[in-house]
């Protein structure tokens, strides 16, 4: 039920903006529910929930349980103002995402192309021959789905929604997309995919993204209203959406405080009331978040005493029967894959732009981990500092989310009675990062991070398989996503 509620919220957001951007206009008939089910890859229930909200808000007319017409009216000037306002409110983050999304999507596009068979190539060839703006979105979506990482698809959905991609067919088209030019570039791309010329595929993808971005800036820059930075809408990666997102966010913040922050040297967490006051949430949200920590094995609620923080040597076994545990294990495994494909570019930029005092602070935290035998926390430390000190907002947001997922997985690592090889790997990683950072050896730092993550992923998958959770099950535990299949 919770999952379907989250889906209906995202479907509502998607369709709402299609109305406001003029994709669907007054008098249009909407696609059938069956078509929407295929488009979103969901059952009918969340579709109906979203449609009923749209009817209540005055966007559509539904009679006898059937969709009839769009009743939302806009003048062309009103639609133009909506688009300009939308971009103006997001312009800083907009440029941030555009300039750096290549770090997150191009590697997965190439991996997706590598996994295509002849039928897949035939399908993307059809998309290329049409090559409208929506077809390019379909191409990206279809290609990255081949990697079978639903966390990645969730991220792609969220950034696409933020950038306005699903609304590209509006009457006022700020993208300035040239279908003929796009068709030429993408034909060349498909030919290179057939040849397996992956370096050239990467170059074409980067060139195509840049050309789209350049045209957008040329078209929109003169129209953008200047809004102060503090009033700009920043990109937020919502894995869970709605109230569940608040609970998960709080559980991550509590794990951070338990392992790296204010609570790390304490035996008990504060009361529900005090946590609710400190973090600005309801008492019921605090209770639900603590319940999650109990199930993951990071804490133990004791009647009459409170919630005891379980130390790294006594974390209890997670409740592997819990859907919450399964869901977050899925995200953890997939976040490792996300890091493997993105950490090089992100890490290079991070290290090259660290201020001296920030570098010293990070080294100090690594040394603290080594001193207190917390080498397995060092990868978490590294991710946290990227989420804190990266000069790029979208990187801070994405890696901050991944950091939270890693915190969720830490009790799992501890509870399994770690093998000496994994403990030693954490020790070695910590020592290497201290040495390389002190010597300003950026390439070695980046290599150490990627190697550690590459070694962690298969080990984690093997551990979960030993507890009856197959990799296929983890990949099927999909977060909120939009699998665009065409209309």
């Amino acid at each position: 039920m919770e999952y379907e509620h989250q889906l209906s919220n995202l479907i509502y957001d998607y369709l709402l903006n299609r109305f406001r951007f003029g994709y669907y206009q007054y008098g249009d008939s909407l696609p059938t529910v069956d078509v929407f089910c295929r488009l979103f890859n969901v059952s009918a229930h969340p579709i109906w929930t979203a449609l009923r909200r749209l009817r209540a808000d005055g966007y559509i007319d539904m009679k006898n349980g059937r969709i009839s017409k769009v009743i939302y009216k806009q003048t062309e000037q009103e639609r133009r103002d909506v688009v300009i306002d939308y971009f103006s409110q997001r312009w800083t983050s907009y440029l941030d995402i555009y300039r750096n999304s290549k770090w997150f999507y191009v590697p997965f596009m190439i991996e997706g192309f590598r996994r295509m068979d002849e039928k897949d190539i035939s399908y993307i060839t059809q998309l290329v021959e049409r090559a409208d703006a929506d077809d390019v979105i379909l191409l990206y979506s279809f290609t990255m789905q081949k990697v079978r990482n639903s966390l990645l698809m969730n991220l792609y959905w969220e950034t696409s929604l933020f950038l306005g991609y699903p609304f590209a067919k509006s009457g006022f088209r700020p993208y300035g997309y040239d279908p003929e030019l796009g068709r030429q570039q993408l034909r060349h791309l498909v030919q290179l995919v057939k040849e397996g010329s992956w370096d050239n595929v990467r170059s074409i993808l980067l060139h195509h993204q840049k050309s789209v971005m350049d045209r957008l800036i040329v078209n929109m820059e003169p129209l953008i209203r200047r809004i102060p930075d503090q009033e700009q809408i920043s990109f937020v990666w919502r894995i869970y959406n709605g109230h569940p997102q608040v609970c998960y966010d709080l559980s991550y913040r509590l794990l951070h405080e338990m392992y790296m922050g204010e609570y790390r040297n304490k035996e008990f967490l504060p009361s529900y009331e005090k946590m609710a006051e400190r973090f600005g949430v309801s008492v019921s949200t605090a209770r639900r978040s603590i319940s999650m920590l109990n199930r993951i094995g990071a804490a133990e609620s004791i009647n009459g005493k409170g919630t005891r923080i379980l130390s790294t040597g006594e974390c209890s076994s997670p409740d592997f029967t819990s859907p919450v545990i399964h869901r977050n294990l899925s995200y953890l495994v997939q976040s490792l894959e996300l890091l493997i494909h993105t950490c090089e570019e992100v890490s290079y930029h991070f290290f090259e732009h660290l201020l001296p005092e920030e570098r010293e602070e990070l080294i100090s935290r690594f040394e603290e981990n080594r001193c207190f035998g917390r080498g397995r926390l060092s990868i978490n430390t590294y991710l946290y500092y990227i989420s804190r000190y990266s000069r790029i907002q979208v990187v801070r947001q994405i890696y901050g989310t991944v950091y939270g997922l890693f915190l969720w997985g830490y009790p799992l690592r501890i509870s399994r009675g770690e093998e000496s090889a994994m403990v030693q790997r954490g020790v070695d990683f910590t020592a290497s990062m201290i040495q390389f950072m002190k010597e300003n050896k950026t390439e070695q730092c980046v290599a150490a991070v990627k190697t550690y993550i590459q070694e962690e992923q298969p080990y984690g998958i093997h551990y979960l398989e030993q507890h009856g959770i197959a990799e296929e099950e983890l990949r099927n535990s999909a977060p909120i996503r939009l699998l665009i299949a065409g209309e």
Side-chain angles (χ1 to χ4, degrees), residues 186-346:
L186 296 177
R187 280 173 180 163
H188 189 198
L189 175 68
V190 172
Q191 183 58 42
L192 292 171
V193 169
K194 292 178 180 179
E195 297 171 0
S197 181
W198 303 118
D199 287 342
N200 289 328
V201 167
R202 182 177 187 275
S203 296
I204 290 294
L205 284 170
L206 292 174
H207 176 72
H208 182 74
Q209 284 194 354
K210 185 177 184 304
S211 63
V212 171
M213 182 186 77
D214 289 346
R215 284 194 296 273
L216 171 73
I217 293 174
V218 168
N219 287 345
M220 288 302 300
E221 191 77 56
L223 304 175
I224 292 296
R225 295 187 294 105
R226 299 306 166 190
I227 296 177
D229 288 344
Q230 63 270 24
E231 297 178 17
Q232 287 268 330
I233 298 174
S234 297
F235 170 69
V236 176
W237 185 11
R238 306 169 298 175
I239 295 179
Y240 306 97
N241 199 271
H243 186 68
Q245 183 73 58
V246 178
C247 289
Y248 284 107
D249 284 347
L250 179 57
S251 70
Y252 295 152
R253 293 177 71 181
L254 290 173
L255 286 168
H256 169 76
E257 296 294 348
M258 289 160 59
Y259 298 134
M260 300 176 64
E262 182 177 327
Y263 305 148
R264 60 181 169 166
N265 294 319
K266 295 185 178 180
E267 184 179 0
F268 282 85
L269 289 173
S271 67
Y272 297 132
E273 291 76 14
K274 288 184 178 179
M275 284 190 288
E277 181 179 358
R278 178 186 173 188
F279 295 108
V281 299
S282 67
V283 173
S284 63
T285 295
R287 288 181 182 274
R288 290 183 63 190
S289 299
I290 292 300
S291 175
M292 293 180 188
L293 301 189
N294 288 336
R295 278 178 280 175
I296 200 64
E300 178 187 21
S301 294
I302 305 172
N303 288 335
K305 289 189 175 182
T307 301
R308 188 167 72 92
I309 299 171
L310 299 181
S311 66
T312 55
E314 61 175 353
C315 286
S316 61
S317 178
D319 178 9
F320 285 102
T321 66
S322 168
V324 171
I325 300 299
H326 277 222
R327 185 181 305 132
N328 282 277
L329 289 175
S330 169
Y331 302 165
L332 175 60
V333 168
Q334 293 172 42
S335 68
L336 284 164
E337 187 172 39
L338 191 67
L339 289 178
I340 287 171
H341 284 81
T342 66
C343 67
E344 283 186 87
E345 297 282 3
V346 170

Side-chain angles (χ1 to χ4, degrees), residues 100 121 181 260 395 457:
N100 301 289
I121 296 294
L181 178 60
M260 300 176 64
V395 170
Q457 186 190 32

Side-chain angles (χ1 to χ4, degrees), residues 433-447:
M433 294 301 288
I434 292 171
Q435 177 187 342
F436 296 147
M437 287 192 69
K438 285 183 174 179
E439 296 173 354
N440 285 326
K441 293 182 176 179
T442 297
E443 290 189 8
Q444 287 85 342
C445 285
V446 173

Side-chain angles (χ1 to χ4, degrees), residues 436-472:
F436 296 147
M437 287 192 69
K438 285 183 174 179
E439 296 173 354
N440 285 326
K441 293 182 176 179
T442 297
E443 290 189 8
Q444 287 85 342
C445 285
V446 173
V449 169
K450 185 168 185 178
T451 298
Y452 186 88
I453 295 169
Q454 286 175 324
E455 292 172 345
E456 179 83 359
Q457 186 190 32
Y459 185 84
I461 292 173
H462 176 67
Y463 167 73
L464 295 174
E465 287 177 342
Q466 289 179 321
H467 287 77
I469 305 175
E471 183 179 2
E472 185 68 22

Side-chain angles (χ1 to χ4, degrees), residues 44-180:
H45 186 267
I47 300 293
W48 281 115
T49 301
L51 292 174
R52 291 188 186 103
R53 283 184 64 191
L54 290 166
R55 178 181 61 184
D57 290 345
Y59 288 94
I60 62 174
D61 181 34
M62 293 168 57
K63 294 180 179 178
N64 300 321
R66 294 190 177 188
I67 309 169
S68 54
K69 300 289 184 180
V70 175
I71 60 175
Y72 175 65
K73 289 184 178 181
Q74 262 184 324
T75 66
E76 188 61 34
Q77 184 60 48
E78 288 172 336
R79 185 178 306 120
R80 182 185 180 91
D81 290 341
V82 164
V83 172
I84 293 173
D85 284 346
Y86 186 93
F87 279 76
S88 297
Q89 292 166 359
R90 294 161 176 79
W91 193 242
T92 300
S93 289
Y94 215 101
L95 297 178
D96 200 32
I97 293 174
Y98 253 129
R99 289 166 179 157
N100 301 289
S101 62
K102 59 181 181 293
W103 294 349
F104 297 97
Y105 299 133
V106 169
F108 283 101
M109 286 290 290
I110 295 172
E111 183 62 28
F113 284 135
R114 288 178 182 273
R115 300 186 186 191
M116 286 186 178
D117 57 24
E118 291 185 6
K119 183 178 178 180
D120 296 328
I121 296 294
S122 175
Y123 175 69
I124 65 171
T125 300
Q126 295 175 35
L127 293 178
V128 166
E129 288 307 310
R130 296 200 305 257
D132 201 349
D134 274 12
D135 296 315
V136 176
I137 300 167
L138 290 173
L139 172 64
Y140 271 66
S141 181
F142 179 80
T143 302
M144 285 190 287
Q145 286 175 47
K146 304 301 294 183
V147 182
R148 299 183 65 243
N149 185 310
S150 53
L151 193 65
L152 166 72
M153 296 312 301
N154 172 259
L155 176 61
Y156 180 66
W157 156 246
E158 288 288 346
T159 52
S160 296
L161 190 64
F162 186 87
L163 295 172
Y165 280 167
F167 329 120
K169 285 185 177 178
S170 61
F172 171 52
R173 300 182 63 158
Y175 300 96
Y177 183 73
D178 183 340
E180 184 54 40

